[in-house]
Amino acid sequence: MDLEKRVEELTQRLLDAQRAYYVEGRPFISDLEYDRLFDELKAIEDEHPELLREDSPTQRVGSDLASDFPEAAHTIPVLSLDKAYSAQEVVSWMEKTGKAAGGHLSFVEEEKIDGISMVLYYEGGLLVRALTRGNGHVGNDVTPNIRTVRSIPLRLSEALDIAVRGEVYLPKADFERLKEDQPDVANPRNMAAGAVRRQKSSESAAIPLRFFAYEAFWSEESQTPADHLSILACLKRLGFPVNPHFAVFSQSAEHGRRLLEAAGLDAPSYAFSDLDGYLAKASKVRKDLPYEIDGMVTKVNELPIREVLGYTEHHPRWAIAYKFESPQAVTTVLGVTVQVGRTGRITPVAELEPVALGGSTVRRATLHNQEYIDELELAIGDSVSVVKRGDVIPAVEEVLEKNNEGHSTYTMPASCPSCGSHLVQRGAHLFCPNKDCPDQVRGRISYFTAKGQMDMDSIGPKAVAKLYEMGLVKDIPDLYTCDFDKLIGEKGYGEKMTASFKAAVEESKKKPFINVLSSLGLPDVAIKGAQTLIAGGFSDIDKLLDAASRGDVEAFTRIDGIGPQTAAAIIEALDDPVMKERIRRLRDAGLQFAQVEEDPSNRPEQVFEGQVWAVTGSFEHFNPRTKAVQELEKRGARTVSSVTSKTTHLLMGKGGGSKKAQAEKLGVQIVDEDGFLSLLGWKDGGAKAEEPAGGQLSFDF
Ligand code: AMP
Ligand code: ZN
């Protein structure tokens, strides 16, 4: 048989099958049959590369070659949307817009899909470029990754030059399933954003992204239809998935029905007066949709009127987004600084126009790493929403509006801002490799003295910086030999201050081994890690040093909760001569390097034995909330950071949102603070949580 013809046949059949499955939701062949045809096509293409077509269904699986995302200019305006937070605002906007346009308008109401904005450029009907929104003028070219999205047509049913705007999203169910392996990803949007920016398109292909098209721009003016409804109809005809949940609002339901009929579409039609109820209903049924939406979009239907209304710098004047929830806080990014943590990890931090949020003023928010910045497409000058979850550091959640100054997405520096060393990439983060980097040294010492660690909190980061600057303390053990009186006379340092430093140093010698161990700065060994090691049999430092010098990974990995990577990292750190010398000097100074046997009569009853608890929100009696975690663990519970099918209980404080929904879905028992106090037997006495054995979780921040 003619191979070329067979390729043609297979391609057509597979494309039809994909379309039936992903766009129309009506599969006509089995998965098995699909795979068989697919494999046949792939085999022919492998043998005869000259027969490989650009729109071949085999191109959906992506490639293992790393690609970066070159910038490319948009040829259409890619702006954000004006926002409203109440139905009333939308109604007034409609009235105002109608007046400005000088006539009766009709509007199309669509769901605002909470995904990643994408512009697909087709030339002669072939997908040639997929660009992110970027700064609205220039986006990132993510074409290889977008080709893997099954519902995006690679070739249109007509040979058009057209730009299509839409949203790439991840269905909720897929997110929940994939979250098991990626527990750090907060929501479907973030997971979709990550997938769109994978360097290897084969990794994007592994995430079942979906697409909804909602705008189209023809390069040939004469081909442009007269209204938005006709655009939607046309997108459907061309093979794009169009969200079926939309409605028309006009002076009468009857009028809207005529418009729908003219476009050949079937959708509900309402009079303006019904808008209130429609939006209220939308926000109610939202939770039952298979994908996330964060609002509704109202768009002028008549395209000639859109032309008249035009655009502002930021958004079209012919559309408005009604958002279900008002943002936590909206502010502007004034700049980005980078911090060097005690482990050398580099964290970009957004410097914000100060804004009130949850009872405090937020001036800075973490941006985590370059990947996070890229996902947000964040640039200096952008307006952003900032959120605070539980007692965590505030984070930039979303870019709301791009800057006017033409700044593009922020990129991290190549060298350490503290010591100038060339930064190295490890996993998602950049690190300064220089152990003597001043910021790292100061960070290490401040971490050691911090509250919850050695509790020498009078010697805070400022004092540490001063001591370091004067050459009095260059490493942790110097705290125990240093003459603090040399500080007297320096601005802000008097006798009272130095006396408190000396007292803190003396007190610290009584701190139990768990605090000493957790304060040394070993990788992954904060209070919880130290507890795990001690409970696992490492009851003194010599046992640890011995295991490390033998390179005995097993000695660590046999402990529940310690994996081979952590084990290797701990061994390497302990075997470092600088660390050994540090430990030797601290031991000479009289610190506790062995666990004192606990009196078993003090051990509380193991009432939570065998249970798995997650903790969310903030608490009155357990602040920071690690105090609640400690009470749980003391009584035999295992604690986890996310709610999964294995979780038995969720301890729910104030303001814990997403975990609660997850717990309800999975039927996990939810316990509030009051209930927890009762379980601890503290309820009637009204006792406050006693001082914890350990302290607060530490952030490398
Ligand atoms: P924002 O990013 O909050 O300014 O909102 C504008 C974004 O909403 C656009 O960039 C689109 O990515 C997104 N969006 C989601 N659904 C729609 C829709 N049906 N029509 C227009 N924009 C939408
Ligand atoms: Zn450095």
Side-chain angles (χ1 to χ4, degrees), residues 79-81 83 110-113 117 133 165 167 214 297 299 323 400:
L79 306 176
S80 53
L81 292 166
K83 310 280 182 319
E110 294 174 2
E111 288 170 340
K112 188 169 183 296
I113 311 297
S117 199
R133 183 160 90 178
R165 266 198 86 166
E167 206 79 358
Y214 48 72
V297 188
K299 300 173 174 179
K323 298 270 273 187
L400 299 173

Side-chain angles (χ1 to χ4, degrees), residues 260-281:
L260 282 161
E261 205 177 313
L265 289 175
D266 189 19
S269 169
Y270 301 98
F272 288 129
S273 51
D274 297 325
L275 186 76
D276 244 8
Y278 186 80
L279 293 181
K281 179 145 176 255

Side-chain angles (χ1 to χ4, degrees), residues 340 416 418-421 432 434 437 440:
V340 188
C416 173
S418 176
C419 72
S421 300
C432 166
N434 172 15
C437 171
Q440 287 187 50

Side-chain angles (χ1 to χ4, degrees), residues 78-83 109-118 133 165-168 212-215 228 243 294-297 299 314-315 319 321 323 398-401:
V78 190
L79 306 176
S80 53
L81 292 166
D82 201 4
K83 310 280 182 319
E109 200 63 41
E110 294 174 2
E111 288 170 340
K112 188 169 183 296
I113 311 297
D114 196 10
I116 312 302
S117 199
M118 195 60 57
R133 183 160 90 178
R165 266 198 86 166
E167 206 79 358
V168 170
F212 274 139
Y214 48 72
E215 294 287 344
H228 185 67
N243 185 352
D294 60 339
M296 301 294 286
V297 188
K299 300 173 174 179
H314 291 300
H315 48 76
K323 298 270 273 187
E398 200 181 348
V399 171
L400 299 173
E401 247 154 49

